Amino acid sequence: DDLEYFKQSFGLDDANARLLMRAEKLQEKGQVGQALLYFQEVLKSYPACSEAKMNVDMIQRASSSNAQSLKIPNDAKLYTYSEPGCCVSCGEDMERQPDGRTKYQTWCDDEGAGESAPLFLTREQSDNMWNRIIAVVNDGSGMSTTKDPSDYSEGGWHFGNVIKITLDGEQKTYYSVFNSPVERIMKHFVKERKREVDSW
């Protein structure tokens, strides 16, 4: 369940895993002030918790700019590409729609695979996700723009993700081993939306 996911993913005890879950739900509802207090409580016991640190940083950065939302370009897109095996490539596509929602799909060119059914983030989820992604891109922390030779296998295929982000017609390319800030943000919002859709 969700509690076990937070405990195992971030090494938290029950109490702090519940605090982190509550903080993220409050943040998604726009109650960032209360969410900040919960994230800070987690950091008192687990100062190295990356998820709490990232969220505190994002909230404080937004507050320091008078809590104004960053302008989200209409052409906002995020594309990932990886090669999990020889002659096999997979990835994820996210694209902001004209109505403000974001369309998410996974794909794989392996035999018998293809594109997943589309998942649409709500306008609110889309705005929150892109604001956080844009803030990370602008800051640059944890986002590598160069390939790491160790990310390639002896067979020559890439271990990890190539991430391409398009904003205002400008595309930037990054490289990761599946744990960059942008990927964590994307996974968080996709998981939350899937949970909502699965409950219908």
Side-chain angles (χ1 to χ4, degrees):
D1 59 9
D2 291 338
L3 181 63
E4 286 302 313
Y5 168 78
F6 278 89
K7 287 170 62 178
Q8 293 177 15
S9 297
F10 307 111
L12 306 176
D13 59 23
D14 279 14
N16 282 281
R18 292 182 192 281
L19 283 174
L20 188 59
M21 287 173 56
R22 179 63 176 157
E24 295 200 340
K25 288 180 180 178
L26 287 168
Q27 188 176 28
E28 287 160 11
K29 293 177 181 177
Q31 300 175 32
V32 293
Q34 189 66 28
L36 178 62
L37 295 176
Y38 279 82
F39 285 129
Q40 290 173 331
E41 280 299 311
V42 173
L43 289 175
K44 287 180 182 178
S45 300
Y46 294 89
C49 178
S50 60
E51 186 73 3
K53 287 169 69 176
M54 179 182 72
N55 281 288
V56 167
D57 182 60
M58 293 299 164
I59 292 172
Q60 291 178 336
R61 196 169 304 166
S63 298
S64 67
S65 59
N66 299 319
Q68 294 296 320
S69 291
L70 297 166
K71 180 180 179 298
I72 303 172
N74 292 328
D75 68 347
K77 299 182 186 69
L78 190 154
Y79 165 90
T80 73
Y81 172 88
S82 65
E83 297 174 355
C86 182
C87 302
V88 177
S89 56
C90 299
E92 299 167 288
D93 293 340
M94 298 198 80
E95 183 172 355
R96 190 168 173 84
Q97 304 295 293
D99 61 5
R101 298 184 302 162
T102 290
K103 179 182 177 182
Y104 169 84
Q105 281 185 290
T106 62
W107 59 270
C108 186
D109 64 7
D110 196 10
E111 184 177 354
E115 286 187 341
S116 67
L119 177 75
F120 290 92
L121 275 62
T122 66
R123 173 66 184 267
E124 182 181 7
Q125 290 168 335
S126 176
D127 286 351
N128 288 339
M129 182 190 72
W130 284 111
N131 276 322
R132 291 172 67 178
I133 288 174
I134 292 169
V136 165
V137 169
N138 289 343
D139 181 78
S141 297
M143 300 297 294
S144 175
T145 58
T146 58
K147 300 184 184 73
D148 181 346
S150 66
D151 291 346
Y152 288 81
S153 72
E154 291 182 3
W157 61 82
H158 182 260
F159 172 75
N161 260 345
V162 178
I163 307 167
K164 295 183 183 292
I165 300 173
T166 301
L167 299 168
D168 279 331
E170 180 183 359
Q171 186 181 86
K172 295 184 178 181
T173 302
Y174 303 94
Y175 302 88
S176 82
V177 286
F178 306 107
N179 196 37
S180 69
V182 162
E183 288 164 292
R184 293 199 301 270
I185 292 168
M186 178 178 66
K187 288 174 184 175
H188 167 77
F189 282 95
V190 167
K191 182 182 179 192
E192 180 64 27
R193 182 57 175 159
K194 283 182 177 177
R195 190 160 47 215
E196 292 174 359
V197 172
D198 289 345
S199 70
W200 292 351

